[in-house]
Amino acid sequence: MEPVAQPLKDSDPLRTEVRVESYALKRCGCGSPTDKCPDLPRTIEPAKVNPDSTLVFDVRREADYAASNEIIPGALWKNPDKIDAWIGALPLTQDVVIYCVRGGAVSNNVVDRLQAAGVKARFIEGGLEAYKVAGGKIARK
């Protein structure tokens, strides 16, 4: 008698392993993900951000953006609540740095979405506040 294939249960180790590996491949952002792709970092240190040579997006919530008169020079504001409207226009071959006020939930959620879509995105550790403390350039809106 031949064995009968049984569907995998959510608790089966093989199913969990496949899910984790699949997620890592989506996050790679290299344009042709394979099992050899390095895991793309989620963050960048504030002192290492160079807005003159990096594509920077301000993803502060609309109210936070409106209440501030500061922005990283050259940064473009993108409403994080409307990510579906702009995510498809981002380049897949260029590094992208995003920031919110303090590098918390907003940046984490946006980076998750961008990396899952193949964008080489990272967020500034500590957000705009940490960037300013590190001596980063600031412009007036």
Side-chain angles (χ1 to χ4, degrees), residues 5-130:
Q6 298 292 321
L8 291 174
K9 299 177 195 142
D10 281 341
S11 60
D12 288 339
L14 180 61
R15 185 174 187 125
T16 303
E17 182 178 324
V18 169
R19 280 188 188 155
V20 170
E21 185 171 334
S22 171
Y23 179 71
L25 294 179
K26 290 169 105 180
R27 286 187 56 220
C28 169
C30 74
S32 58
T34 70
D35 60 351
K36 299 194 184 330
C37 288
D39 193 25
L40 185 67
R42 292 181 53 73
T43 64
I44 184 169
E45 294 175 30
K48 292 186 177 181
V49 176
N50 181 352
D52 297 329
S53 63
T54 306
L55 187 56
V56 181
F57 291 102
D58 181 331
V59 295
R60 291 177 285 179
R61 295 200 187 278
E62 191 169 12
D64 292 329
Y65 179 77
S68 172
N69 64 353
E70 298 176 321
I71 192 166
I72 292 178
L76 300 171
W77 180 72
K78 297 290 183 183
N79 187 335
D81 297 326
K82 299 184 190 255
I83 191 170
D84 292 331
W86 53 265
I87 192 170
L90 298 184
L92 301 180
T93 58
Q94 188 174 358
D95 289 334
V96 171
V97 172
I98 64 166
Y99 68 90
C100 63
V101 177
R102 290 182 193 83
V106 176
S107 289
N108 272 286
N109 291 336
V110 172
V111 160
D112 284 345
R113 289 286 310 276
L114 296 179
Q115 287 186 352
V119 177
K120 296 179 187 179
R122 296 181 286 169
F123 69 89
I124 299 173
E125 293 173 6
L128 181 60
E129 295 303 316

